[in-house]
Amino acid sequence: MAKIQRRGQKGAAKNYITRTQAVRKLQISLPDFRRLCIFKGIYPREPRNKKKAAKNSQGANQATTFYYTRDIQYLLHEPLLNKFRDHKALAKKIGRALGRNEISDANRMEKNLTPKMTLDHIIKERYPTFVDALRDLDDCLSMLFLFANLPSTETVPPKTIQLCQRLTHEFEHYLIRSNSLRKSFLSIKGIYYQATIQGQDILWLVPYKFVQRVTGDVDFRIMGTFVQFYTTLLGFVNYRLYTSLGLVYPPKFDAKADEHGAELAAFAIEGRNVAAALDDKVEQPAAAPKQVSATAQAEADKLLELPSGEEPTSSYATAQENPSSNPKDEEEEDRQDGELDSFPAPIDPESDVLHQPTVSASTAANLFEPFTIYLSRETPRHPLELILRAFGCKRVAWDTVLGEGAYTSDEADRRITHQIVDRPNLPLPPVPVEDEETAAANASMRLRPGERVPGRIYIQPQWVWDCINAGKLLRADLYAPGATLPPHLSPWVKAKQGEYDPTKPLAEQENEGEALAAEADSDDEMADENAGSDGEEVDGVRGDGEARNLESKLLQQGGKEVVTGEGMDVELAESDDDEDEEADAAKDEEFGGFTEDEEESESEDEAARHQRELAAEADGRSLTADAGATPAKALRKKEAEKAQKAISRQRKEAQEETDRQKMMMSRRKRKIFEKMQYSNAQKDAEAEKLRGKRRKIEKGQAKN
């Protein structure tokens, strides 16, 4: 006889457990259970059938939270459970002491008997390798940078804010020393940064330094638990990163300089076994001396014996003399560290093009190296200082109002090559002519707001971000004070095929006949505006006062007939001329009549003309507006109409072919294909709308 399977011992009922059951099994409180799950990286799960997972039909509802049973069993052996229980026991003792009014005993127990929790073993457990920690660093940096900019409240203690600030500044120092920063973007939420560390791309968000208002609808207990875990993680990562560069961790911190706003300058970075501070160059870790082969030593001796004017032979000649050597290996050895490979363009133009890397370690280290940049008081000092130093600038100056640690605080210093300003370009009154002695005496004085120093380049802050995203120095005149800045585009958004790309010219993205049709529409709009602006009434249009007077006069005259039609009043010939009538009748008898095609084309032309007359009458436009158009406009309009007809014919043929192919599909595939067509049509319409906006902007700029 087979063994009887009891209910709840198999399937979803065995694999899932509710939160209430998990808390009872672990014998801890619900807040401690939440903290433990955050530390261990255990999250709720959604079963396919909640009724089966809850073991009965009544216990499952929308608010029930389920976990994997194996995850809860895994938590039974966690050392932090003992710490949580010790906390609970201590809380009972302190409450009992306070109930007996023994305040000194309660303070003593809280100070001496509070158990200390460390999360080091959890960090090593969740991240067995350093690359795993780097991959999970995005949320860590975003959270810590957020708490570093929050004000201190009851829920956010000052010690937590100071710890977050110290760890984030240490990480920024590593970015500066290793030139690991690659891209940055100014958004509404804040400033996005991306760094490449040991082949891993790390992206995080830093909020702007505005006054933050802490609301009550945010649960800072949950966020504080994440901060406690992330501070431990970033401390491990910073230690590993500093030691990889041969630097001492933690760096020396000057509290007095930090109180005066030094920020990054409050840290003194030192190398191992070196008493003095290192220079701004990155110090590589000391490596064991390598043994030089005899062949390489012989080649070096030959080069030393060559005369000063003679050059060594080429790699091809060396390869002919020594066939065992590989020129590719020599090129790889000669290549500098941090250089990026460039991918050749594919032969097939329709194939996918590999993205060419723009910023390498060597580019980041030398982009702003030859410059001395001064930051005006209205510019954001900290993000600009970080980006400039991370991309090679060793001389960053600012006013003393922004804090300590500047290269120089004299705005009139002649060594300054670039000045970043973010104020309008206001005209200044002329400066009186001074003698050489007076000019030399006033050279070190503070400049007036908006005063320019001859020979210095003035730029707006966006120039720095656009330069690092492009990987090269851009034209400074496009970012001059008061100039209309180029669009600041996200470096991570790459336009796909068929979508609007703001970096490419408009002519490369337009569809066939789109420009001609848009130009014809703009000409029609201008003609309508001109016709409406004149305000003149046209004779013969039904509804005009002068047309009615003219009609009544013609009706009173004798010998003439006036036929009133729709849109125009046409005066016919005199009825007394019988000879003309006979001649017309003879011509009609001689004429054999129209063919069917001619009759159809004539009727179509009359219908189109009649439709245009009705539209013109309804809009109040002049019927002779087309007659006054220039030949160039008329030619463009005809070309646009021809192109539009050809495009509509092609679309119709393509639609017919698509319909024939859809008939061979199954119902399911046909529905999917129709959804795909609908989404593609929406994307094309949105791209065409954006191109139309750009076309109007470019036309307006061309007119100005």
Side-chain angles (χ1 to χ4, degrees):
M1 183 175 177
K3 184 178 179 180
I4 299 175
Q5 186 71 33
R6 293 185 179 181
R7 187 178 182 182
Q9 301 295 328
K10 186 179 179 181
K14 182 180 179 181
N15 296 333
Y16 293 96
I17 186 174
T18 62
R19 187 179 63 181
T20 304
Q21 295 172 352
V23 170
R24 290 176 181 175
K25 192 170 187 177
L26 296 175
Q27 297 181 5
I28 56 177
S29 62
L30 182 58
D32 290 341
F33 176 74
R34 288 188 183 132
R35 294 181 63 192
L36 186 61
C37 289
I38 291 172
F39 290 153
K40 300 291 287 186
I42 296 174
Y43 300 97
R45 307 294 178 176
E46 186 70 19
R48 293 184 178 179
N49 194 332
K50 285 191 173 183
K51 291 184 179 180
K52 292 182 179 181
K55 301 180 183 179
N56 54 16
S57 60
Q58 297 178 358
N61 51 43
Q62 296 297 330
T64 305
T65 305
F66 293 90
Y67 292 87
Y68 281 144
T69 306
R70 288 187 177 182
D71 292 342
I72 303 303
Q73 291 177 351
Y74 176 65
L75 293 179
L76 289 172
H77 307 284
E78 175 57 40
L80 289 180
L81 285 176
N82 297 328
K83 298 292 183 180
F84 291 152
R85 290 163 184 162
D86 294 343
H87 270 286
K88 186 176 181 180
L90 180 63
K92 288 183 179 179
K93 292 180 181 180
I94 293 175
R96 192 179 301 113
L98 292 175
R100 293 196 295 259
N101 202 15
E102 297 174 355
I103 300 177
S104 59
D105 293 343
N107 292 333
R108 177 182 54 80
M109 286 188 291
E110 184 180 4
K111 182 177 181 181
N112 300 329
L113 301 181
T114 301
K116 296 181 180 180
M117 290 191 306
T118 57
L119 305 178
D120 300 348
H121 67 285
I122 296 182
I123 299 297
K124 296 177 183 178
E125 183 181 291
R126 290 185 61 178
Y127 308 106
T129 62
F130 185 61
V131 176
D132 295 332
L134 292 177
R135 289 173 181 170
D136 201 20
L137 209 59
D138 298 353
D139 295 337
C140 171
L141 292 175
S142 299
M143 181 69 73
L144 295 186
F145 273 101
L146 172 63
F147 269 75
N149 293 321
L150 287 179
S152 61
T153 58
E154 295 180 358
T155 54
V156 184
K159 291 183 179 180
T160 302
I161 297 174
Q162 293 175 2
L163 179 60
C164 294
Q165 290 177 351
R166 183 178 64 82
L167 292 173
T168 52
H169 287 162
E170 290 173 357
F171 181 76
E172 288 175 347
H173 268 293
Y174 170 78
L175 298 178
I176 293 172
R177 289 302 183 102
S178 61
N179 302 111
S180 301
L181 195 63
R182 291 292 176 267
K183 298 176 183 178
S184 181
F185 176 66
L186 301 170
S187 69
I188 299 176
K189 296 180 180 179
I191 305 176
Y192 285 92
Y193 295 95
Q194 184 183 18
T196 303
I197 301 175
Q198 296 187 8
Q200 302 297 323
D201 292 335
I202 303 171
L203 179 67
W204 70 95
L205 175 65
V206 179
Y208 295 111
K209 289 195 174 182
F210 297 145
V211 178
Q212 304 288 343
R213 294 182 180 179
V214 180
T215 58
D217 56 349
V218 179
D219 191 354
F220 280 96
R221 294 178 301 173
I222 302 297
M223 298 181 68
T225 305
F226 277 102
V227 169
Q228 184 180 359
F229 174 75
Y230 284 148
T231 50
T232 308
L233 172 61
L234 189 57
F236 272 87
V237 172
N238 286 345
Y239 172 77
R240 182 67 177 271
L241 294 177
Y242 271 64
T243 53
S244 65
L245 294 181
L247 303 177
V248 175
Y249 186 83
K252 292 184 178 179
F253 177 69
D254 190 355
K256 293 184 179 179
D258 185 66
E259 291 177 358
H260 291 86
E263 294 185 352
L264 292 176
F267 293 85
I269 311 298
E270 295 182 355
R272 291 183 177 179
N273 301 325
V274 179
L278 294 175
D279 55 357
D280 290 326
K281 294 183 178 180
V282 178
E283 183 182 41
Q284 300 295 337
K290 297 181 180 179
Q291 298 294 333
V292 182
S293 63
T295 306
Q297 186 63 38
E299 293 292 335
D301 295 340
K302 288 181 181 180
L303 293 176
L304 292 175
E305 293 175 359
L306 289 175
S308 59
E310 186 178 354
E311 296 181 357
T313 56
S314 62
S315 60
Y316 178 77
T318 305
Q320 293 294 331
E321 295 177 1
N322 187 9
S324 61
S325 63
N326 192 354
K328 293 184 179 180
D329 296 340
E330 296 177 0
E331 292 178 2
E332 292 293 338
E333 293 177 359
D334 295 339
R335 181 176 295 172
Q336 299 179 357
D337 296 337
E339 290 291 336
L340 297 177
D341 298 332
S342 59
F343 305 104
I347 300 176
D348 188 4
E350 298 181 357
S351 61
D352 296 336
V353 180
L354 292 174
H355 176 62
Q356 302 292 336
T358 55
V359 181
S360 61
S362 58
T363 304
N366 302 322
L367 191 60
F368 301 118
E369 185 177 6
F371 302 147
T372 302
I373 301 178
Y374 185 88
L375 308 179
S376 298
R377 290 173 290 173
E378 69 277 2
T379 58
R381 173 210 151 182
H382 184 76
L384 285 173
E385 180 188 4
L386 170 63
I387 292 176
L388 293 174
R389 292 190 183 277
F391 280 81
C393 184
K394 299 179 177 61
R395 299 175 297 276
V396 183
W398 56 79
D399 194 270
T400 54
V401 177
L402 300 179
E404 295 183 356
Y407 174 72
T408 179
S409 58
D410 185 10
E411 188 177 358
D413 195 333
R414 297 297 178 180
R415 295 173 294 179
I416 299 173
T417 59
H418 294 69
Q419 183 168 349
I420 301 177
V421 297
D422 195 10
R423 61 182 67 175
N425 191 18
L426 300 177
L428 295 175
V431 181
V433 180
E434 298 178 351
D435 300 336
E436 294 182 359
E437 298 180 357
T438 308
N442 297 333
S444 61
M445 296 177 61
R446 186 188 298 271
L447 299 177
R448 295 182 300 170
E451 187 176 355
R452 301 292 181 86
V453 176
R456 185 180 299 178
I457 300 176
Y458 288 84
I459 47 179
Q460 298 189 43
Q462 185 181 331
W463 178 79
V464 178
W465 273 270
D466 289 350
C467 285
I468 66 172
N469 291 335
K472 60 182 179 180
L473 296 176
L474 302 177
R475 291 173 49 186
D477 57 334
L478 300 177
Y479 300 86
T484 302
L485 295 174
H488 182 57
L489 305 175
S490 173
W492 299 287
V493 177
K494 303 299 179 183
K496 299 179 182 178
Q497 186 176 4
E499 295 182 354
Y500 172 70
D501 189 0
T503 60
K504 293 183 180 179
L506 194 60
E508 298 181 3
Q509 307 180 60
E510 291 176 338
N511 297 327
E512 185 179 358
E514 182 180 349
L516 293 174
E519 190 173 356
D521 293 342
S522 63
D523 293 341
D524 293 341
E525 291 177 1
M526 293 178 62
D528 295 343
E529 292 177 359
N530 295 333
S533 60
D534 294 340
E536 298 178 358
E537 295 181 350
V538 181
D539 296 341
V541 179
R542 186 178 62 186
D544 296 338
E546 295 183 2
R548 296 195 191 95
N549 297 334
L550 180 60
E551 181 180 354
S552 60
K553 290 180 181 179
L554 292 176
L555 289 173
Q556 293 175 1
Q557 293 177 0
K560 293 185 179 180
E561 295 180 1
V562 178
V563 179
T564 304
E566 294 183 2
M568 291 286 291
D569 296 335
V570 183
E571 181 181 352
L572 301 180
E574 295 180 359
S575 59
D576 296 339
D577 196 352
D578 298 336
E579 296 179 357
D580 293 343
E581 291 180 0
E582 294 177 358
D584 293 339
K587 289 181 180 180
D588 292 340
E589 292 177 358
E590 295 177 359
F591 181 64
F594 293 101
T595 61
E596 294 181 0
D597 297 339
E598 292 176 353
E599 290 178 358
E600 291 179 0
S601 61
E602 185 177 353
S603 61
E604 290 179 359
D605 294 340
E606 291 179 358
R609 191 182 306 107
H610 181 63
Q611 188 67 23
R612 287 197 300 269
E613 291 174 358
L614 292 178
E617 179 184 354
D619 296 341
R621 293 186 285 106
S622 174
L623 294 176
T624 59
D626 295 338
T630 59
K633 290 183 179 180
L635 182 61
R636 286 198 301 269
K637 189 173 182 180
K638 289 182 180 179
E639 291 178 356
E641 290 178 355
K642 289 181 181 180
Q644 197 69 21
K645 289 181 180 178
I647 292 171
S648 61
R649 192 183 307 112
Q650 292 177 1
R651 290 179 179 176
K652 185 177 181 180
E653 293 176 357
Q655 184 64 30
E656 291 176 354
E657 181 65 23
T658 303
D659 293 339
R660 284 194 295 268
Q661 293 177 359
K662 285 167 60 177
M663 293 172 63
M664 305 299 295
M665 297 181 182
S666 63
R667 182 186 180 124
R668 179 173 173 272
K669 291 183 179 180
R670 185 168 62 252
K671 293 293 183 182
I672 296 174
F673 183 72
E674 289 175 356
K675 289 181 180 179
M676 184 181 66
Q677 280 187 317
Y678 178 75
S679 60
N680 291 340
Q682 281 188 329
K683 292 179 181 178
D684 294 341
E686 184 66 22
E688 187 175 356
K689 182 179 179 181
L690 294 174
R691 288 195 295 268
K693 289 183 178 180
R694 180 175 175 180
R695 193 180 295 108
K696 290 182 180 180
I697 293 173
E698 290 180 354
K699 284 185 179 180
Q701 292 177 353
K703 289 181 181 180
N704 297 334

